[in-house]
Amino acid sequence: MTDVDDMVESTTAYDVDDLRRAFPGLDPGLARFDGPGGSLVPAVVTDAVADTLRAGLCQRGGPTAQGALADRTTLDARAAIARLVGLPDARGVVFGRSMTALTFDTARTLAQDWGPGDEVVVSRLDHDANIRPWVVAAERAGATVRRLGFDPVTAELDDVEPLLTDRTRLVAVTAASNLLGTRPDVAALAAAAHEVGALVHVDAVHLAAHAPVDLGALGADLLVCSPYKFFGPHLGALVADPALLERLRPDKLLPSSDAVPERFELGTLPYELLAGVTAAVEFTESWGMAAVERHEAELLARLLEGLAGIDRVVVHGRPQRRTPTVLVTVDGLDPVEVSRRLADRGVVAPAGSFYALEASRHAGLGDGGGVRIGLGAYTTGDEVDRLLAGLRDVAGE
Ligand SMILES: Cc1ncc(COP(=O)(O)O)c(C=O)c1O
């Protein structure tokens, strides 16, 4: 059997209509391409959140059943995220309000140890949440920030090696661009960064919705993701080897636990959302992220072929390895206007730079960006055709 036969066979087993039935928020009147901004959630997740709120939890621990449940809810969610990213020890999972909040916290913590002459590398391909926290922390510490560029046409990341020195303390890079879809070779970048003794901080927020994530294979020392991008509730998770977390001293309250990972978690955790995280991870496990990836690859091919046939539509970036997230503009039309006209046709494809501001500027799109078409696990071929028809209409073709 060839790889293609294998793929077709596995794709057939992926029943998108069956999967869609799990999402009560899916409105058949709308074709949704806004998943990269946050996915819809299946009923199992909303049920888990509601059930936990109803269970009367207060705080972890103590002599009551509610205390034990809060404890178990927390540990289950850590275990779920650890499985999701291939982390052997769930003590390395830290929860926070969002990836952005966690990354500001991590940057502040790591920068306690940085000074003039030290260097930090950030990539222009990244969401600003994996740039600004490092820039702010480096500037406060008097350290130097170096920027890794990308090819504005292909959206392939440049080679990191020329930027690395024996003073590089950290390299921050995305596992997948939420604007252009590029999946850089993070493993090679991490190997080069480790050669000079730098830590590698990987933003897997966009990737986690589209493909299996493996901390070890990526070579990440620190990795962040946000469950609301992969069918879960709104919060963020930071993942690392607990041995690394043991070496870090975050700002914390005096009476709060000094254990890892609690040391990094400010205040009381949202137990109901943690229950939703576990349900979301179990949901992805029941479908298999590899199957989701194949389903999306098939739809992406259909989308790109259709887009190539519309003269006024420009597709930005053509990275070799990518997520099914495609940025387009229509010649002569503002992206906001294109998005509005698509919305009039029941097609949801938002416009902007999606906080990947440096990427948008570097790709020649200024601050306005483009229209982002995000395919996802619950996207159907009919929806792709509806989007293509809408774009042809908007482009007057
Ligand atoms: C690639 C990427 N990184 C980081 C973030 C920020 O995540 P959060 O909203 O959890 O702070 C986003 C959100 O859109 C994103 O797409």
Side-chain angles (χ1 to χ4, degrees):
M1 197 190 265
T2 65
D3 283 355
V4 173
D5 291 337
D6 193 23
M7 191 165 134
V8 169
E9 190 170 274
S10 316
T11 308
T12 316
Y14 183 90
D15 184 342
V16 69
D17 294 322
D18 198 14
L19 179 130
R20 286 170 71 87
R21 279 190 278 279
F23 289 85
L26 270 174
D27 171 353
L30 289 179
R32 301 280 297 252
F33 297 95
D34 55 352
S39 68
L40 299 177
V41 288
V44 284
V45 170
T46 52
D47 288 350
V49 173
D51 289 349
T52 308
L53 280 171
R54 279 196 207 98
L57 305 191
C58 178
Q59 293 283 342
R60 288 179 69 181
T64 64
Q66 286 76 13
L69 183 58
D71 217 28
R72 200 167 68 239
T73 304
T74 306
L75 298 179
D76 285 352
R78 293 203 203 288
I81 292 290
R83 284 198 308 280
L84 184 82
V85 303
L87 179 75
D89 186 343
R91 284 188 315 124
V93 177
V94 176
F95 288 109
R97 200 184 70 68
S98 62
M99 174 278 186
T100 302
L102 284 165
T103 307
F104 267 112
D105 287 344
T106 307
R108 195 173 59 237
T109 302
L110 291 178
Q112 291 163 6
D113 196 27
W114 299 344
D118 285 333
E119 297 176 5
V120 171
V121 177
V122 295
S123 113
R124 291 194 195 280
L125 195 58
D126 273 72
H127 186 288
D128 208 47
N130 203 28
I131 299 178
R132 206 63 34 200
W134 306 112
V135 170
V136 170
E139 282 174 356
R140 282 198 189 129
T144 304
V145 176
R146 297 190 181 278
R147 278 184 167 70
L148 178 60
F150 65 89
D151 185 310
V153 176
T154 63
E156 297 287 4
L157 198 60
D158 292 347
D159 183 7
V160 73
E161 291 208 28
L163 298 187
L164 299 173
T165 72
D166 59 1
R167 298 301 300 271
T168 310
R169 306 299 307 276
L170 178 120
V171 180
V173 72
T174 191
S177 159
N178 66 313
L179 188 71
L180 298 160
T182 312
R183 289 178 61 179
D185 187 349
V186 174
L189 177 146
H194 289 153
E195 279 285 307
V196 298
L199 287 174
V200 177
H201 183 273
V202 174
D203 176 355
V205 171
H206 182 58
L207 184 64
H210 301 289
V213 174
D214 188 303
L215 185 79
L218 288 169
D221 298 294
L222 299 140
L223 179 140
V224 273
C225 62
S226 297
Y228 74 94
K229 306 286 189 183
F230 54 88
F231 320 123
H234 290 86
L235 76 169
L238 162 71
V239 178
D241 182 340
L244 169 60
L245 298 181
E246 293 283 2
R247 297 204 298 272
L248 306 180
R249 314 295 323 171
D251 293 340
K252 65 175 280 299
L253 302 184
L254 195 58
S256 67
S257 171
D258 198 34
V260 165
E262 285 80 1
R263 182 196 292 178
F264 294 85
E265 293 171 328
L266 303 174
T268 304
L269 288 173
Y271 304 117
E272 61 281 4
L273 302 187
L274 296 186
V277 169
T278 304
V281 172
E282 286 171 355
F283 181 80
T284 66
E285 287 169 342
S286 72
W287 286 91
M289 284 313 291
V292 169
E293 194 178 15
R294 285 193 294 270
H295 168 73
E296 293 178 352
E298 212 176 66
L299 290 182
L300 176 66
R302 182 167 175 162
L303 172 69
L304 291 176
E305 195 187 320
L307 291 174
I310 312 175
D311 288 346
R312 280 178 70 199
V313 168
V314 181
V315 176
H316 298 275
R318 42 182 154 81
Q320 293 222 321
R321 270 188 89 216
R322 64 176 308 158
T323 60
T325 299
V326 179
L327 192 75
V328 299
T329 48
V330 178
D331 278 343
L333 281 179
D334 188 281
V336 172
E337 180 58 18
V338 175
S339 177
R340 198 188 59 72
R341 292 192 197 175
L342 287 173
D344 289 345
R345 290 161 173 80
V347 174
V348 184
S353 73
F354 307 98
Y355 283 25
L357 187 60
E358 298 204 15
S360 179
R361 289 176 180 167
H362 194 66
L365 294 166
D367 293 4
V371 174
R372 184 173 67 179
I373 305 165
L375 308 182
Y378 46 70
T379 311
T380 65
D382 284 351
E383 287 181 312
V384 171
D385 293 345
R386 214 167 135 189
L387 169 100
L388 290 168
L391 271 176
R392 271 193 291 274
D393 221 8
V394 169
E397 291 175 28

